[in-house]
Amino acid sequence: MRRGRGHEGGGRGGVAASLAALLCCGCVMALAGAAAAQGPRLPSAYKTLSGDAPRVVAKGGFSGVFPDSSSDAYSFALIASAPDTTLWCDVQMTKDGVGVCLRDINMQNCTNVAQVYPARKRTYEIDDMRKNGWFALDFTMAELQSVILTQAIWSRTDKFDFAGYPILSVTDLWHLPSVVKQPSVWLNVQHAIFYKEHGLNMRNYILSIQKRVHVDYISSPELGFLRNISGTVRRKTKLVFSFLDKDLLDQSTNQTYGLLLSNLTFIKSIASGILVPKSYIWPVTKDNYLQTSTSIVTEAHKAGLEIYASDFANDRIIPYNYSYDPLAEYLNFVSDGGFSVDGVLSEHPITASEAIGCFTNLNSSSKTDHGEPLVISHNGASGDYPDCTDLAYHSAINDGADVIDCPVQVTSDGVLMCMSSINLLDTTNVQRTTFSTRASTISEIQATPGIFTFNLTWGDINSSTLKPKISSPVSEYYLVRNPRYTNHGKFMKLSDFLAIGMDKDLSGVMIIIENAAFVAKSLGIDIVDAVNDALSAAGYDNQTTKEVLIQSKDSAVLVKLKQQKTKCKLVYTLPLGIGDASTSSLEAMKKFADAVVVDRTSVFTLSSDFVIRQNSIVKDLQSTGLAVYAQVFRNEFVSQPLDFFGDATVEINYYVQSFNLSGIITDFPKTVRRYKKNTCTVLGKDMPNYMQAVQVGSLDQLLQTFNAQPPSLPPMPILNASSVEEPPLPPAASRNTPGAPSSGPGTPGAPPSDAHKSTHNIESESSRSYDAPKPLLTCSWTIIRSRLCIMLDEV
């Protein structure tokens, strides 16, 4: 459905007025309330030039979601961001001298003009480069009314391309639907020289609209343009010189931007501020790590210039130092870096608003608050270091985890260790070692071949040959984690893990037990009893300050612990993809569990990454008195539904405010800990809009008004008691000791004959896995893999 627009000064989208009700949760402020909403309680002084809070500048509005410079992008930026957010417009000019807001001078990159006017493609030389496409100066404003705005970044959703957003004139910004006061506006004039060469005078246009509207900022990468208007604009309008790449040439001065950077005193004679790419302030290495910050902020302030930083977006790959957390990046520019820029140019202004308004003055108390929701690590701080290594655990503790976790696995010599997967192919470099010959398929664990922890001794695993491998849960998007530390860290025994948990300022530890039936039957180890023994040996029986949580997706594990009258808190892991729970399943869980872990994939029904439905599973569980922990929270923008705008903090904020969770299980404990320390969530009615819980599903509702919504999906399955209740764990089979007669059904680490299949495509003939022979062997697990052991048995 194409929405109409008026002539200059009147055109705007027809549904923008509905944005507040749809997207701002219970802040029933329908934009009128936005003007009156209380701002955040800010620190008394920032290290900006004026001492005021840094300004949030919304590039093309909220262009991280909506097409850049569309009416809804601008309206939503005003709703979801700081009250004084400034709207940025890249000014282009039409044939009849009307200024329009378009992200790119080449309209092919941000509109459907190629489909509307296929024969009007042109070639121009712009900044010494030939560009082919469609350009505003070849069209009148009336002709452009047939053209609609589209998303300029291909990796972003194209669903809003079907909304029919018209191209806005510059003066439309002061007439957005339901805006009760004139917004702050920043006009960026990128190509004044080019337009002047074709008979269009950008200077005269800017001066003409000043008679009708107030412009707060005017920027340009052409210093000559700013000099031409410096004596004619209103006194309160700030002129900002925009720096491009240092090696590029400012055509108006015939100097490179790098050279101009060394003459800030001269720039101050023309402009009141400078706008620089963020790499000018925090340079980045070739492998995407931060270097030491430059002195440009201090130098600009010393020259009396405000300094603004550009290029912020949540769905951009940022330096690995930020752990994919966009809020952390903002803080490095406004607080943590020891200085503050005077403003940030962002395509996701909600995140910039959070950073400046709620996280620049965190509670710096050295003592960790272990109140709910608990910050629970997922394989340690696995977002920054390889799973379950000493580095991951110590980082999780330093980052403020309340509880650290250990998924328990068993080695062939019976050592309990922490490893996120029983399959070493998932978590180590084993495939590139001599241990790669030990691959086999064990149907009780997985259908595909693996090399399992019980295939190796603790000495093998702890050797210099085997190295951990950092997890990459979103590697299909070519997003990798902290590559400098891909194979760093040491593996941990359960006993060492428990010692760390006892020694550090933690609320407790979480022990995760899986495959207990297989371990008992095939490896001869009762892992429940073994974990109890380890806890007792580590002193957890004789203390009351550290809570022990035992988590399992196998209810039989928790039932056994319940029967043993354990003092541990029992945590049941729900199956994936469950949207609701039957009464019978809730009653069954209540018999053996104190808490339940719910995967985020069960909380919402998603279609094309949009939330189309919130499921009832969390509230069902809480209604029975069960504590609920949600997992796994990640910082990477592709891991979150689009409703959370690529911002892990927005997602965490929603879960905390909407569900009152007892715990959050995360790869990045630092992000959740920082959220718990923010200064805004305790403000009650004075909480700023950008820290109120977003209304999930509202983007889908908005798309429905354009008939552009993603496909509807049926309700997710309901959990029944039959899926929860399991038979008791089998007794542990007898284990053999190397060189001694066997009295049990297998050898240490040897799986049962019906489950262990040879894997020809991975192992050589001389080292393939064999079914355990019926006559029991007097051979160790390392020998059974050779023909020699079989020959001994035959003899």
Side-chain angles (χ1 to χ4, degrees):
M1 177 181 70
R2 188 183 302 280
R3 293 173 296 149
R5 74 175 312 284
H7 53 78
E8 179 177 0
R12 45 199 177 268
V15 299
S18 66
L19 277 175
L22 287 174
L23 299 172
C24 257
C25 190
C27 51
V28 187
M29 35 171 252
L31 265 201
Q38 295 293 317
R41 294 179 181 174
L42 301 172
S44 58
Y46 290 87
K47 295 180 181 179
T48 57
L49 184 63
S50 66
D52 295 332
R55 181 164 291 273
V56 177
V57 184
K59 188 179 188 305
F62 208 119
S63 54
V65 173
F66 301 97
D68 191 294
S69 305
S70 64
S71 56
D72 283 355
Y74 286 127
S75 292
F76 189 44
L78 295 176
I79 294 167
S81 310
D84 58 350
T85 292
T86 297
L87 303 181
W88 167 286
C89 165
D90 285 295
V91 184
Q92 314 298 340
M93 291 198 73
T94 66
K95 181 188 294 186
D96 49 346
V98 177
V100 293
C101 297
L102 285 171
R103 180 187 182 104
D104 198 308
I105 192 171
N106 188 345
M107 292 195 297
Q108 183 180 7
N109 298 332
C110 53
T111 73
N112 72 336
V113 66
Q115 287 73 48
V116 179
Y117 297 107
R120 296 178 68 172
K121 188 175 185 180
R122 299 289 185 269
T123 300
Y124 288 104
E125 186 170 299
I126 304 173
D127 297 333
D128 295 329
M129 294 181 62
R130 290 177 62 83
K131 294 188 177 181
N132 301 314
W134 286 257
F135 302 87
L137 81 169
D138 293 321
F139 300 87
T140 65
M141 189 65 202
E143 289 174 319
L144 289 183
Q145 290 186 35
S146 302
V147 178
I148 61 173
L149 296 166
T150 58
Q151 180 55 257
I153 307 299
W154 285 18
S155 59
R156 294 173 179 166
T157 181
D158 64 351
K159 290 295 182 182
F160 290 102
D161 292 359
F162 302 99
Y165 292 118
I167 295 173
L168 300 180
S169 70
V170 170
T171 53
D172 283 340
L173 294 180
W174 288 270
H175 303 282
L176 293 168
S178 300
V179 173
V180 298
K181 69 173 184 177
Q182 283 202 350
S184 173
V185 173
W186 183 314
L187 301 182
N188 182 54
V189 178
Q190 191 87 1
H191 301 287
I193 293 175
F194 169 76
Y195 285 112
K196 188 172 183 179
E197 290 172 347
H198 294 85
L200 295 169
N201 194 309
M202 189 69 78
R203 173 184 180 275
N204 291 345
Y205 174 74
I206 296 294
L207 296 179
S208 71
I209 65 171
Q210 278 199 125
K211 299 174 183 178
R212 290 174 283 165
V213 294
H214 175 70
V215 180
D216 296 272
Y217 299 85
I218 299 173
S219 64
S220 178
E222 298 173 2
L223 195 58
F225 171 75
L226 296 178
R227 181 163 41 194
N228 287 338
I229 66 172
S230 61
T232 55
V233 296
R234 291 177 176 175
R235 184 172 58 86
K236 291 186 177 180
T237 299
K238 295 182 178 181
L239 301 184
V240 180
F241 180 51
S242 177
F243 282 82
L244 305 181
D245 290 345
K246 293 180 181 179
D247 294 333
L248 293 180
L249 196 69
D250 172 11
Q251 303 288 339
S252 69
T253 62
N254 205 31
Q255 296 184 56
T256 65
Y257 292 101
L259 184 60
L260 288 167
L261 188 64
S262 65
N263 199 352
L264 295 180
T265 302
F266 171 61
I267 294 173
K268 173 59 180 172
S269 68
I270 299 170
S272 63
I274 59 175
L275 172 69
V276 299
K278 59 188 181 183
S279 60
Y280 271 46
I281 301 171
W282 285 99
V284 178
T285 63
K286 291 182 179 179
D287 60 345
N288 200 32
Y289 286 87
L290 290 176
Q291 300 182 43
T292 303
S293 62
T294 68
S295 59
I296 185 174
V297 176
T298 302
E299 292 170 1
H301 287 169
K302 185 176 180 180
L305 289 165
E306 293 183 327
I307 180 169
Y308 301 84
S310 65
D311 299 338
F312 290 92
N314 291 2
D315 53 1
R316 181 172 295 166
I317 296 178
I318 58 180
Y320 295 117
N321 309 69
Y322 300 125
S323 303
Y324 287 100
D325 183 354
L327 199 153
E329 182 178 33
Y330 287 108
L331 290 177
N332 222 21
F333 285 82
V334 302
S335 175
D336 293 349
F339 52 79
S340 178
V341 297
D342 298 276
V344 290
L345 179 60
S346 173
E347 298 180 33
H348 293 81
I350 188 173
T351 307
S353 299
E354 291 170 339
I356 294 167
C358 302
F359 290 90
T360 55
N361 192 30
L362 298 180
N363 180 0
S364 58
S365 171
S366 59
K367 185 172 178 60
T368 302
D369 171 19
H370 292 309
E372 292 188 347
L374 292 172
V375 182
I376 306 172
S377 72
H378 181 246
N379 307 318
S382 56
D384 292 311
Y385 299 102
D387 294 6
C388 302
T389 58
D390 58 337
L391 290 178
Y393 286 127
H394 286 296
S395 178
I397 294 166
N398 292 336
D399 290 345
D402 298 303
V403 176
I404 56 174
D405 67 308
C406 171
V408 178
Q409 311 298 346
V410 182
T411 66
S412 67
D413 50 347
V415 175
L416 301 189
M417 63 171 297
C418 302
M419 186 78 77
S420 61
S421 173
I422 195 172
N423 184 2
L424 295 172
L425 290 172
D426 297 333
T427 56
T428 73
N429 69 334
V430 68
Q431 196 167 12
R432 298 183 179 182
T433 70
T434 56
F435 302 124
S436 63
T437 59
R438 303 190 185 183
S440 59
T441 301
I442 300 179
S443 58
E444 291 182 21
I445 297 177
Q446 61 185 48
T448 55
I451 302 172
F452 304 99
T453 58
F454 52 77
N455 293 149
L456 279 70
T457 66
W458 170 247
D460 294 333
I461 290 175
N462 200 38
S463 68
S464 59
T465 302
L466 199 68
K467 296 183 182 300
K469 181 175 65 177
I470 202 165
S471 60
S472 298
V474 291
S475 58
E476 67 270 27
Y477 296 97
Y478 303 101
L479 300 181
V480 298
R481 292 175 166 177
N482 202 7
R484 287 185 180 177
Y485 289 84
T486 296
N487 299 117
H488 284 58
K490 297 179 181 179
F491 300 112
M492 300 282 291
K493 290 182 180 179
L494 175 60
S495 57
D496 295 330
F497 167 86
L498 292 174
I500 291 174
M502 184 67 77
D503 180 58
K504 301 297 183 180
D505 179 18
L506 292 167
S507 172
V509 294
M510 177 179 279
I511 309 300
I512 303 167
I513 299 176
E514 309 293 359
N515 303 303
F518 172 83
V519 171
K521 182 172 59 174
S522 301
L523 309 184
I525 295 175
D526 186 320
I527 197 166
V528 173
D529 289 347
V531 166
N532 281 331
D533 291 343
L535 288 167
S536 180
Y540 282 80
D541 288 350
N542 303 317
Q543 57 82 46
T544 58
T545 60
K546 306 286 185 180
E547 185 174 42
V548 177
L549 298 85
I550 298 185
Q551 176 189 346
S552 184
K553 64 182 179 182
D554 302 324
S555 62
V557 169
L558 305 181
V559 168
K560 179 173 181 176
L561 286 162
K562 189 82 169 181
Q563 291 170 346
Q564 293 175 342
K565 298 183 179 180
T566 180
K567 295 180 180 178
C568 300
K569 188 171 186 177
L570 303 181
V571 184
Y572 180 56
T573 308
L574 285 187
L576 297 178
I578 299 297
D580 196 355
S582 67
T583 302
S584 61
S585 69
L586 294 171
E587 292 173 349
M589 285 185 279
K590 189 68 175 172
K591 292 177 182 178
F592 59 78
D594 305 301
V596 175
V597 171
V598 177
D599 196 87
R600 292 181 308 144
T601 57
S602 294
V603 178
F604 304 113
T605 299
L606 301 181
S607 181
S608 301
D609 288 328
F610 288 93
V611 173
I612 63 173
R613 187 182 308 113
Q614 179 172 300
N615 301 319
S616 62
I617 185 67
V618 173
K619 293 184 177 179
D620 288 344
L621 293 164
Q622 290 175 330
S623 69
T624 67
L626 289 165
V628 175
Y629 306 140
Q631 71 173 18
V632 175
F633 285 78
R634 300 186 170 106
N635 287 353
E636 291 94 342
F637 56 88
V638 295
S639 70
Q640 300 134 16
L642 293 173
D643 300 63
F644 298 125
F645 316 124
D647 182 346
T649 299
V650 171
E651 181 180 35
I652 293 165
N653 187 46
Y654 178 83
Y655 274 81
V656 171
Q657 292 194 34
S658 301
F659 298 125
N660 194 27
L661 293 176
S662 297
I664 292 177
I665 301 173
T666 175
D667 289 353
F668 298 92
K670 181 187 292 185
T671 303
V672 186
R673 170 56 59 188
R674 188 192 58 217
Y675 170 79
K676 289 181 66 174
K677 295 167 69 176
N678 86 80
T679 57
C680 288
T681 52
V682 297
L683 296 181
K685 66 179 182 179
D686 291 333
M687 185 188 298
N689 302 330
Y690 49 80
M691 280 300 288
Q692 297 187 31
V694 298
Q695 182 63 55
V696 294
S698 57
L699 292 177
D700 176 64
Q701 294 176 41
L702 187 60
L703 288 170
Q704 290 179 30
T705 66
F706 314 132
N707 293 321
Q709 71 270 24
S712 182
L713 296 174
M716 296 174 73
I718 297 175
L719 182 68
N720 293 310
S722 59
S723 301
V724 173
E725 296 168 340
E726 297 175 347
L729 293 176
S734 299
R735 284 177 56 81
N736 299 317
T737 56
S742 172
S743 59
T747 56
S753 59
D754 63 342
H756 191 207
K757 311 297 181 183
S758 61
T759 310
H760 294 274
N761 62 329
I762 295 182
E763 299 185 276
S764 66
E765 179 69 13
S766 62
S767 61
R768 79 172 67 143
S769 303
Y770 286 85
D771 293 348
K774 302 250 193 254
L776 296 176
L777 304 179
T778 58
C779 303
S780 71
W781 173 238
T782 54
I783 300 176
I784 193 174
R785 308 190 63 82
S786 71
R787 292 185 181 277
L788 174 62
C789 190
I790 296 176
M791 292 172 62
L792 286 171
D793 181 69
E794 291 172 348
V795 173

